[in-house]
Amino acid sequence: MSPDPARPASTRPRPVRLDLAPLDPADRSAVDEVFELRTLVHRADTPHLPAPCRADFAGSLTVPPPATRVEEWAGRDAAGRCAASVRLEFPREENTGSVTAAVLAVHPALRGQGAGRRLVEFVRERAAAAQRSRILFTADSGPSGQAGDGAAAPAHHLAATVGARPAWTLDHLRLDIADAPLPQPLPEPMSVRYWGSEVPEELVEQAARLEAALSATASTGDPGWEPQPAAISRIRDFERMRIARGRRAHQCAILDDTTGRMAAWTALSMTRANPGDALQAITIVDPAHRGRGLGRQVKAYNLARARAAETRLAHVDTWNASGNAHMLRVNAGFGFAPAGVRWAWELSTAR
């Protein structure tokens, strides 16, 4: 961005200096500083979303998502204060030409001084060093879904400044659990099975089979993104990550008692810091059982069970690709209402 010629040079803010270094998970003081920074950024940009969870953040530094290498960096200004946070996620098995900048956070008081551009150049350097050609970064906007709301305002400005292009959007939906449908009797011969954070051993192969079906057909909103291969190891690795981050899950399946096969599966996930909020995670219906309303039913059963266990639960959040009209319609019928937009931009490592 060019300097404002009408503004005296002496009154223009100097570009902020940022020294970036890896964040050591064993350095509790540094971890606390970065968490406090992310909390400040959350309050400034996305107060409509559940607050950051300290246990969730600490666990994310030690156990990565499945088949992903993670880098965490902290940026300090000239006075040595924590001023920026960067989290980079490098897929190791699919989408190996990409890196996701899952966090690009600048202290609200230091914005407009070139810190965002400095972070983007740093991400480009890290991506190029790993031979990745594509960088993705995201930001959430508030309930009205306008580009000028919340985190999307500085992110849109940064995207335009560095030449990033829009990649996809996700619609953020929120359910007031008082609006959710109650579970109804299942068709014969079907039954319900519940569990917590880990899929029972006798069902994990069925869960991997359904995850494979979802990966092959679900819309992510990004036409260039390769679906992840589904495997039992991926499910177990994801469970280890969730447990390490202090999260707990409520899961439910509908079983076809004639064949013993899993017809539908869904999961809710919660953090320690947000007992009133849950994330609607995976919901899958076996292609052989689609068109029978089992997706709605399995979510209704699971939510009813979670409400009984989580007495302060009030809301459930989920995100769907903006172009996935079917899932948006299904979730609207369940009681989910629009609550915002998640924007994504794509940037080449080439300048």
Side-chain angles (χ1 to χ4, degrees):
M1 180 178 293
S2 300
D4 181 356
R7 186 175 183 180
S10 60
T11 66
R12 297 179 199 140
R14 293 182 179 179
V16 65
R17 170 185 163 185
L18 282 180
D19 293 319
L20 288 142
L23 178 60
D24 181 359
D27 187 339
R28 295 191 62 179
S29 177
V31 170
D32 286 345
E33 286 181 296
V34 173
F35 180 76
E36 290 168 8
L37 169 68
R38 292 199 187 178
T39 301
L40 281 174
V41 171
H42 164 80
R43 290 172 182 163
D45 296 337
T46 54
H48 64 292
L49 296 180
C53 172
R54 188 177 294 271
D56 186 49
F57 171 60
S60 74
L61 301 178
T62 58
V63 181
T68 303
R69 181 174 67 85
V70 172
E71 295 182 1
E72 287 277 357
W73 298 82
R76 297 187 177 277
D77 64 11
R81 295 169 297 196
C82 183
S85 174
V86 177
R87 178 182 174 93
L88 302 179
E89 297 181 349
F90 298 82
R92 292 192 289 109
E93 293 180 3
E94 68 279 349
N95 299 297
T96 54
S98 299
V99 57
T100 297
V103 175
L104 284 176
V106 175
H107 194 294
L110 298 177
R111 293 175 180 174
Q113 301 177 50
R117 294 191 296 276
R118 167 74 177 99
L119 293 188
V120 169
E121 286 306 304
F122 174 77
V123 172
R124 272 185 161 140
E125 293 166 6
R126 297 303 303 165
Q131 297 183 324
R132 307 290 171 117
S133 59
R134 186 190 193 206
I135 300 164
L136 291 167
F137 64 96
T138 66
D140 284 272
S141 64
S144 70
Q146 297 301 313
D149 293 337
H156 272 272
H157 175 73
L158 178 62
T161 300
V162 300
R165 68 174 187 84
W168 42 261
T169 60
L170 300 177
D171 285 12
H172 172 204
L173 307 174
R174 174 164 289 174
L175 171 71
D176 183 328
I177 62 172
D179 297 332
L182 297 175
Q184 301 298 316
L186 291 173
E188 294 288 345
M190 291 190 167
S191 60
V192 179
R193 177 82 178 271
Y194 300 99
W195 62 88
S197 296
E198 296 175 281
V199 180
E201 188 63 32
E202 66 272 19
L203 293 178
V204 70
E205 186 176 349
Q206 291 289 319
R209 178 181 61 84
L210 287 190
E211 211 169 55
L214 180 67
S215 296
T217 60
S219 170
T220 65
D222 182 351
W225 196 251
E226 301 167 5
Q228 72 172 47
I232 292 173
S233 61
R234 286 286 186 108
I235 291 175
R236 295 307 190 205
D237 287 347
F238 184 85
E239 291 170 346
R240 280 189 282 273
M241 178 197 72
R242 180 163 54 200
I243 291 169
R245 295 174 72 157
R247 297 184 181 186
R248 59 192 182 279
H250 297 275
Q251 303 189 65
C252 174
I254 294 175
L255 304 179
D256 183 336
D257 294 333
T258 301
T259 63
R261 289 164 68 89
M262 192 184 290
W265 169 33
T266 194
L268 292 170
S269 179
M270 301 181 68
T271 64
R272 292 180 186 175
N274 297 285
D277 297 278
L279 170 66
Q280 175 62 65
I282 197 166
T283 299
I284 318 173
V285 177
D286 187 319
H289 290 279
R290 289 176 184 171
R292 305 173 65 185
L294 294 186
R296 177 187 177 95
Q297 280 285 69
V298 74
K299 286 200 289 191
Y301 275 97
N302 196 44
L303 181 57
R305 178 81 166 225
R307 290 178 68 177
E310 308 282 353
T311 57
R312 289 184 284 176
L313 181 60
H315 301 103
V316 178
D317 290 303
T318 194
W319 280 260
N320 291 131
S322 298
N324 192 342
H326 172 70
M327 280 309 305
L328 292 171
R329 184 168 58 251
V330 167
N331 279 325
F334 197 81
F336 282 91
V341 177
R342 178 165 294 167
W343 310 81
W345 293 269
E346 178 180 17
L347 186 65
S348 169
T349 54
R351 288 165 177 77

